[in-house]
């Protein structure tokens, strides 16, 4: 699955889902993951929204899923929780089949093998409900093995249900990323993945490590294990879009196109979250599609959206990416 053309990822799942369920996602300890149990049709339709607007790959609605979370907030037992995670992956498959049927009936051409279904593997901190996914503070006191053991349950459920790759995403600290990559190399040699860090500014991870150092460390780790072909990309997500270019320049700016590390990017809209008033500043956001040329020049191979990005935003990113691929004759 080495990437030649630039691919379009979907947008903010919880954001687009509000179109189907109203404003009942933010503030829930399970976030959008509750609806895997209570409103699976809305999950399928959210996936479909992104596919119909140009996404080449969709992420399963498993970012905030954990056995502990489902046991506590949905009162399921361990086996039922694992089964719900598997079923969540199946919802993405149902959406894909519906979309392929629509394309077939409309005689629309699609790239063979697409769309891809990628398992969303959010950070350890997401299940703690204390905001530590945006600080990585748990890296200072939680052993790496505790973190990988916790991840393993969800990863295995997603793999059993059938995914094309894993999105190791919104990772705030270098330790968690390295531990996960080592585990994937050791125990899941055939599984493809990308690693996307959460960064607090134009140079550092949420936990304070240098982004370029962390990304290079992951790449070197894979090279040592002769496993570079497992990794689709390294990059960032859930960041302000204005940070992306300096972050990517710090990693790939001095490299020739042939030597560039393949990058993945799916930033937030550029709005800022305020605890009392919610998301603010949409009118001041630079449209994400405007960044596509500079990000691809720096090595971006997968581009999409995160918080506050809707299917309509993905449509515009898709059009910009299509123009780039056309230019490079990769369509």
């Amino acid at each position: 699955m080495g990437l030649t053309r630039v691919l379009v990822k979907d947008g903010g799942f919880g954001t687009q889902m509000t179109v189907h369920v109203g404003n009942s996602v933010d503030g829930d300890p399970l976030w959008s993951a509750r609806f895997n149990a209570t409103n699976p049709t809305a999950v399928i339709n959210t996936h479909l929204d992104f596919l119909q607007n140009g996404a080449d790959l969709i992420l399963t609605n498993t970012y905030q899923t954990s056995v502990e979370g489902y046991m506590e907030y949905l009162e399921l037992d361990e086996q039922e929780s694992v089964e719900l995670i598997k079923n969540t992956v199946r919802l993405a498959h149902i959406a894909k089949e519906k979309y392929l049927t629509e394309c077939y009936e409309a005689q629309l051409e699609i790239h063979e093998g697409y769309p891809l279904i990628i398992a969303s593997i959010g950070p350890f901190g997401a299940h703690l409900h204390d905001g530590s996914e945006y600080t990585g503070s748990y890296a200072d006191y939680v052993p790496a093995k505790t973190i990988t053991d916790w991840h393993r349950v969800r990863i295995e459920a997603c793999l059993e249900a059938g995914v094309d790759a894993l999105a190791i995403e919104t990772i705030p600290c270098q330790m968690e990323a390295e531990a996960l990559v080592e585990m994937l190399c050791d125990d899941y040699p055939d599984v493809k993945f990308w690693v996307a860090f959460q960064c607090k500014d134009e140079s550092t991870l949420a936990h304070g490590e240098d982004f370029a150092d962390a990304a290079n460390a992951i790449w070197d780790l894979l090279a040592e294990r002769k496993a570079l072909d497992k990794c689709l990309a390294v990059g960032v997500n859930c960041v302000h879009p204005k940070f992306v270019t300096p972050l990517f320049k710090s990693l790939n700016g001095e490299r020739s196109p042939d030597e560039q590390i393949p990058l993945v990017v799916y930033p937030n809209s550029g709005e800022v979250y305020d605890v009392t008033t919610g998301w603010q500043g949409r009118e001041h956001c630079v449209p994400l599609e405007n960044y596509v040329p500079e990000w691809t020049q720096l090595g971006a191979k997968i581009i999409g959206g995160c918080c506050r990005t809707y299917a309509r935003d993905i449509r515009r990113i898709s059009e910009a990416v299509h123009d780039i691929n056309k230019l490079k004759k990769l369509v």
Side-chain angles (χ1 to χ4, degrees), residues 8 10 19 21 25 61 78 91 117 120 144 157 162 212 223 276 285 287 327:
V8 178
D10 59 9
V19 172
V21 300
V25 178
N61 188 32
E78 189 173 344
L91 298 179
I117 294 174
S120 169
T276 49
C285 294
L327 219 58

Side-chain angles (χ1 to χ4, degrees), residues 231-287:
C231 187
L232 300 178
V234 177
V236 296
N237 77 296
C238 205
V239 297
H240 195 293
K242 71 181 179 187
F243 296 153
V244 175
T245 296
L247 284 163
F248 282 1
K249 275 185 177 165
S250 73
L251 179 63
N252 271 348
E254 301 299 311
R255 299 179 203 250
S256 70
D258 292 343
E259 293 171 330
Q260 285 179 340
I261 291 175
L263 300 175
V264 56
V265 53
Y266 41 115
N268 299 333
S269 64
E271 291 163 79
V272 177
Y273 189 74
D274 181 280
V275 181
T276 49
T277 55
W279 291 95
Q280 299 294 319
R282 186 152 189 106
E283 66 280 8
H284 304 304
C285 294
V286 175

Side-chain angles (χ1 to χ4, degrees), residues 7-319:
L7 299 179
V8 178
K9 180 208 156 286
D10 59 9
F13 199 88
T15 301
Q16 181 63 27
M17 192 171 225
T18 60
V19 172
H20 301 287
V21 300
N23 292 319
S24 52
V25 178
D26 281 345
D28 188 316
L30 292 175
W31 193 50
S32 62
R34 179 179 299 277
F35 296 97
N36 297 328
T38 61
N39 195 342
T41 304
V43 174
I44 294 166
N45 287 337
T46 302
H47 285 311
L48 261 177
D49 291 342
F50 288 125
L51 291 170
Q52 290 163 344
N53 282 279
D56 294 302
L57 42 90
I58 52 173
L59 266 58
T60 58
N61 188 32
T62 50
Y63 176 88
Q64 195 92 348
T65 59
S66 67
V67 168
E68 299 92 324
Y70 279 154
M71 287 174 77
E72 184 173 351
Y73 297 106
L74 289 182
E75 296 179 353
L76 303 178
D77 64 26
E78 189 173 344
Q79 198 177 341
E80 288 167 336
S81 300
V82 169
E83 197 49 48
L84 181 52
I85 294 170
K86 290 180 187 174
N87 202 50
T88 301
V89 175
R90 292 181 195 121
L91 298 179
H93 280 277
I94 292 168
K96 175 179 174 174
E97 290 310 313
K98 284 187 173 217
Y99 174 67
L100 290 175
T101 302
E102 286 175 9
C103 291
Y104 177 75
E105 287 172 354
Q107 296 183 319
L108 293 173
E109 259 188 73
I110 44 172
H111 287 272
E112 196 176 337
Y114 288 85
L116 301 179
I117 294 174
I118 315 289
S120 169
I121 307 297
F124 180 82
H127 90 290
L128 301 175
H129 312 303
D130 61 0
S132 60
E133 67 203 279
Y134 300 112
T135 65
S137 57
Y138 53 88
D140 302 328
Y141 62 88
V142 180
K145 187 176 184 309
T146 302
I147 291 174
T148 52
D149 285 350
W150 178 83
H151 275 292
R152 193 184 293 273
V153 179
R154 175 176 47 176
I155 286 173
E156 291 194 349
C158 289
L159 291 174
E160 276 184 45
V163 293
D164 295 296
L166 309 178
I168 310 295
E169 59 176 353
T170 328
I171 303 297
C173 45
Q174 186 171 337
M175 177 271 266
E176 183 171 13
E178 288 183 350
L180 276 167
V181 168
E182 284 179 357
M183 179 184 87
L184 290 169
C185 287
D186 290 343
D187 301 340
Y188 307 92
D190 300 327
V191 175
K192 308 257 188 207
F193 59 87
W194 74 62
V195 177
F197 288 104
Q198 212 279 318
C199 297
K200 61 183 174 182
D201 55 32
E202 63 281 336
S203 61
T204 49
L205 309 191
H207 186 245
E209 302 91 332
D210 181 81
F211 166 72
D213 287 350
N216 277 316
I218 294 296
W219 205 245
D220 292 346
L221 184 64
L222 288 160
E224 277 167 29
R225 290 169 177 255
K226 298 185 170 47
L228 286 173
D229 60 330
K230 283 173 63 70
C231 187
L232 300 178
V234 177
V236 296
N237 77 296
C238 205
V239 297
H240 195 293
K242 71 181 179 187
F243 296 153
V244 175
T245 296
L247 284 163
F248 282 1
K249 275 185 177 165
S250 73
L251 179 63
N252 271 348
E254 301 299 311
R255 299 179 203 250
S256 70
D258 292 343
E259 293 171 330
Q260 285 179 340
I261 291 175
L263 300 175
V264 56
V265 53
Y266 41 115
N268 299 333
S269 64
E271 291 163 79
V272 177
Y273 189 74
D274 181 280
V275 181
T276 49
T277 55
W279 291 95
Q280 299 294 319
R282 186 152 189 106
E283 66 280 8
H284 304 304
C285 294
V286 175
L288 292 183
E289 65 269 19
N290 291 15
Y291 293 103
V292 167
E294 63 196 69
W295 291 346
T296 52
Q297 201 150 12
L298 286 165
K301 297 293 184 191
I302 301 165
I303 302 177
C306 203
C307 299
R308 301 295 291 168
T309 60
Y310 290 87
R312 60 178 177 265
D313 299 305
I314 298 308
R315 161 63 58 194
R316 293 195 290 267
I317 290 171
S318 165
E319 286 164 358

